[in-house]
């Protein structure tokens, strides 16, 4: 694609802005909505509550070979996974070139053999067929919220198809959105009911986990094993949240 085409593509997307307060740096499309936040002196720490909830996939996949992610944002999850899960390869799909242009601002690592950011429409990328993911994280929002293409029944069907036999889908949703129950229902339908929703600590976000493989039962969980690949600081940060996620999932196993 030539420079003129790149410029034309950029015009199609809203440019985010960055706010700094000395302690943190945050990414926004509007003042009322936070997209991502990074602590200046701890750039790899998961500062926003729902990102810690999304890492609940470690309960079922402590060392995924290939992680896919739709929506780069400020790169919080991408940085954390790249730093902590050394045996994992990660492919990040981001549709907005203005967001990708801010990757250095938020300390998102350069592409290498383990980490790749692709300028692409995540929904179309899955439709075209992709390498199988062990974990697929969906956290794609723009200035109007979650794009329709990332929450259709076809999209969640494609997420199912993009996962390996024991693959896990993790979707961040706004729990107060009028269509929230509809979207949870679509995810559950695509995964034949093997899905569970966990509210984030601050309640404005909910994370839906869905598995192509065995049931998402807390009976499968070994918290020590799930945290074993992380460094000490990350284990300390994530242990209480992963324990809470496992507890919230107990109803899926009939109270187990």
């Amino acid at each position: 694609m030539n420079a003129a085409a790149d410029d034309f593509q950029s015009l199609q997307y809203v440019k985010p802005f960055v706010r700094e307060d000395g302690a943190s740096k945050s990414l926004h499309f509007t003042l009322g909505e936070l997209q991502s936040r990074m602590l200046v002196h701890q750039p790899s720490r998961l500062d926003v509550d729902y990102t810690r909830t999304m890492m609940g996939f470690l309960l079922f996949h402590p060392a995924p070979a290939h992680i896919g992610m739709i929506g780069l944002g400020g790169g919080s999850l991408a940085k954390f996974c790249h730093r902590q899960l050394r045996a994992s390869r990660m492919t990040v799909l981001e549709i907005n070139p203005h967001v990708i242009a801010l990757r250095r601002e938020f300390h998102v690592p350069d592409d290498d053999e383990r980490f790749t950011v692709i300028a692409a429409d995540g929904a179309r990328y899955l439709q075209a067929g992709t390498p199988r993911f062990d974990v697929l994280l969906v956290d794609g929002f723009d200035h109007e919220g979650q794009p329709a293409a990332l929450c259709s029944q076809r999209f969640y069907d494609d997420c199912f198809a993009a996962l390996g036999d024991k693959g896990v889908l993790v979707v961040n949703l706004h729990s107060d959105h009028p269509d929230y129950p509809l979207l949870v229902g679509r995810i559950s339908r695509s995964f034949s009911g093997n899905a569970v929703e966990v509210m984030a600590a601050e309640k404005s976000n909910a994370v839906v986990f869905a598995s192509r493989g065995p049931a998402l039962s807390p009976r499968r969980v070994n918290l020590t094993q799930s945290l074993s690949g992380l460094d000490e600081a990350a284990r300390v940060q994530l242990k209480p949240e992963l324990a809470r996620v496992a507890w919230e999932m107990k109803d899926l196993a009939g109270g187990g």
Side-chain angles (χ1 to χ4, degrees):
M1 184 179 289
N2 60 37
D6 284 337
D7 290 344
F8 176 74
Q9 182 183 16
S10 296
L11 291 173
Q12 300 176 57
Y13 302 104
V14 172
K15 190 172 184 178
F17 60 92
V18 178
R19 300 185 72 187
E20 298 185 52
D21 63 11
S24 66
K25 185 179 292 189
S26 55
L27 181 72
H28 303 259
F29 285 112
T30 65
L31 286 174
E33 291 288 341
L34 171 72
Q35 299 295 319
S36 183
R37 186 171 61 226
M38 177 186 77
L39 297 178
V40 173
H41 298 296
Q42 294 178 290
S44 295
R45 183 178 176 84
L46 294 174
D47 187 48
V48 180
D49 65 320
Y50 82 83
T51 60
R52 298 189 291 273
T53 307
M54 291 185 75
M55 289 302 301
F57 72 78
L58 291 173
L59 294 169
F60 305 102
H61 253 307
H66 191 190
I67 302 170
M69 183 168 186
I70 296 178
L72 174 64
S76 298
L77 282 164
K79 288 183 296 185
F80 187 89
C81 291
H82 181 261
R83 178 170 177 165
Q84 297 295 333
L85 303 177
R86 298 288 183 173
S88 302
R89 181 163 58 95
M90 189 162 197
T91 301
V92 183
L93 308 168
E94 172 56 55
I95 196 171
N96 190 331
H98 300 299
V99 171
I100 297 175
L102 291 170
R103 63 188 293 177
R104 290 189 181 276
E105 183 95 17
F106 285 92
H107 298 202
V108 176
D110 293 333
D111 288 3
D112 59 24
E113 67 280 359
R114 290 181 46 236
F115 185 81
T116 307
V117 176
I118 300 174
D121 180 320
R124 291 185 178 181
Y125 186 91
L126 296 189
Q127 288 175 18
T130 67
R132 286 291 179 93
F133 298 119
D134 298 293
V135 172
L136 178 57
L137 308 172
V138 179
D139 189 21
F141 290 83
D142 59 23
H143 65 291
E144 296 182 329
Q146 191 164 40
L150 296 183
C151 50
S152 68
Q153 190 68 65
R154 166 67 188 273
F155 173 71
Y156 294 130
D157 288 348
D158 289 338
C159 288
F160 179 89
L163 290 168
D165 292 340
K166 298 181 180 180
V168 175
L169 173 68
V170 188
V171 183
N172 175 39
L173 297 172
H174 284 161
S175 59
D176 57 356
H177 193 281
D179 289 337
Y180 172 74
L182 174 66
L183 304 187
V184 174
R186 287 174 180 171
I187 296 171
S188 181
R189 192 173 302 114
S190 293
F191 285 78
S192 301
N194 193 12
V196 62
E197 49 192 305
V198 177
M199 296 296 295
E202 294 180 6
K203 306 296 185 185
S204 59
N205 291 74
V207 175
V208 180
F209 298 89
S211 175
R212 181 166 176 160
L216 291 173
S217 166
R219 295 188 180 97
R220 292 175 54 198
V221 169
N222 182 318
L223 188 57
T224 300
Q225 182 180 359
S226 298
L227 297 166
S228 62
L230 312 182
D231 65 28
E232 183 177 2
R235 287 197 301 271
V236 169
Q237 183 184 26
L238 282 189
K239 184 176 181 178
E241 182 60 9
L242 263 60
R244 188 186 73 87
V245 169
W247 177 259
E248 294 290 333
M249 286 182 172
K250 71 184 187 303
D251 289 339
L252 192 67

